Amino acid sequence: MITGKERKTVKDMNYSGLDLTAVAHKTFKYTPNGSVGLLEGKKAIHIQAAGSVYHAGGKWGIVKFLFRRLFKIKSNESSALMDLGDMYLTNMLKFYGVNQVEHVYIEGADAHADQREQILARALTEATTKAKVF
């Protein structure tokens, strides 16, 4: 699934698509211990583009973001925590039993227009590399 950023949330079309695939006895089942995904062994590649940068800092980026918020430090840096679409998609895939989710983030092409060509080339290389082992 390819998603895009719109006001730091998931577009309605993607929500609808995921909601339509949440079908009991097709993508998950109910058990006495809770819901269980039925797509175990399947893999997914999530390719997402955003004009700003959200995932460059990795886990430390999230820690720095939380630290800045906690101590009310002003910053223009974003964080993966602000990427609700990615979190929602990844959690829904895990709910379905898809535990092998690869990500390709094409980020910063608008925020760093002077680096757009390099950003796109790097993303294409990363997507090609991940597709070969998919």
Side-chain angles (χ1 to χ4, degrees):
M1 174 177 287
I2 298 175
T3 61
K5 303 300 260 186
E6 184 173 294
R7 283 182 251 118
K8 297 183 181 81
T9 188
V10 181
K11 289 185 177 182
D12 290 337
M13 187 174 79
N14 289 332
Y15 271 128
S16 299
L18 286 171
D19 289 346
L20 291 172
T21 61
V23 180
H25 309 292
K26 297 282 185 189
T27 54
F28 72 96
K29 67 179 178 182
Y30 297 106
T31 71
N33 298 323
S35 301
V36 174
L38 297 176
L39 302 180
E40 290 183 13
K42 303 290 184 187
K43 298 187 280 185
I45 295 180
H46 174 217
I47 300 173
Q48 175 175 298
S52 189
V53 178
Y54 293 88
H55 297 89
K59 291 181 182 172
W60 283 112
I62 293 171
V63 171
K64 288 187 332 188
F65 175 79
L66 292 173
F67 182 82
R68 288 191 309 268
R69 288 290 170 121
L70 178 66
F71 293 103
K72 297 182 170 88
I73 300 170
K74 299 279 186 203
S75 174
N76 290 332
E77 288 184 46
S78 298
S79 166
L81 285 177
M82 297 177 73
D83 185 2
L84 303 177
D86 178 53
M87 285 192 283
Y88 180 72
L89 177 63
T90 301
N91 285 326
M92 287 301 292
L93 289 169
K94 287 182 179 181
F95 175 73
Y96 296 158
V98 179
N99 290 313
Q100 290 180 279
V101 181
E102 293 289 333
H103 302 272
V104 176
Y105 301 111
I106 309 165
E107 297 182 322
D110 287 339
H112 308 286
D114 58 319
Q115 300 172 32
R116 179 174 288 133
E117 294 303 318
Q118 294 92 338
I119 291 169
L120 296 176
R122 190 170 41 246
L124 182 59
T125 299
E126 183 181 358
T128 302
T129 301
K130 288 184 178 186
K132 286 179 182 175
V133 297
F134 190 74

